Amino acid sequence: MRFDQHTVVLLVRPPDAPDLPLDALDRLQDAHLAHQAGLVEQGLVLAAGPFVDADDERLRGFVVLSVSPAEARELYHNDPAVRAGRLAVEVMSWLVPEGNLRFESVPLPRSMLEAAAGD
């Protein structure tokens, strides 16, 4: 059997994440979303989204990329939320049977306001 290899990034809330005022958290979340949307527009991110109702509250999001693990680490170390210490990244390769997944080109929201609009 042949396999497709993708790079996966788990976005995790570190135990020492800084406490920030709500307005700073909102700006940081918008900057994080804009960063991810930019990676999608460049064709580097194939799929991304937050976790909800997770058994482990540290797990915040999941990203599938079309780049090597080393490139993914570099891209996400430039994420504003990672630079601010609110998120950490765990990077790994993911193997799935060849042709098992198909990714459609779908834009991601660039802000919480855009995400809430639901359009």
Side-chain angles (χ1 to χ4, degrees), residues 45-59:
V45 167
L46 302 172
F51 291 121
V52 295
D53 301 327
D55 287 339
D56 185 342
E57 288 296 316
R58 296 174 311 123
L59 299 175

Side-chain angles (χ1 to χ4, degrees), residues 7-112:
T7 299
V8 169
V9 170
L10 290 178
L11 297 169
V12 180
R13 177 72 35 82
D16 60 347
D19 289 325
L20 299 172
L22 187 56
D23 62 329
L25 286 173
D26 288 344
R27 286 191 306 274
L28 191 57
Q29 182 66 12
D30 283 350
H32 163 71
L33 292 176
H35 178 261
Q36 284 210 138
L39 297 177
V40 168
E41 291 164 3
Q42 295 174 57
L44 305 174
V45 167
L46 302 172
F51 291 121
V52 295
D53 301 327
D55 287 339
D56 185 342
E57 288 296 316
R58 296 174 311 123
L59 299 175
R60 309 305 296 164
F62 180 81
V63 186
V64 181
L65 297 104
S66 64
V67 300
S68 72
E71 291 170 296
R73 281 183 191 89
E74 184 175 331
L75 292 171
Y76 275 87
H77 284 300
N78 290 320
D79 183 306
V82 174
R83 285 196 325 257
R86 290 290 295 175
L87 293 175
V89 296
E90 295 183 12
V91 180
M92 61 210 71
S93 293
W94 182 38
L95 300 176
V96 294
E98 186 176 58
N100 187 247
L101 293 174
R102 186 177 78 208
F103 297 97
E104 301 291 332
S105 179
V106 178
L108 292 181
R110 299 188 74 79
S111 69
M112 290 302 294

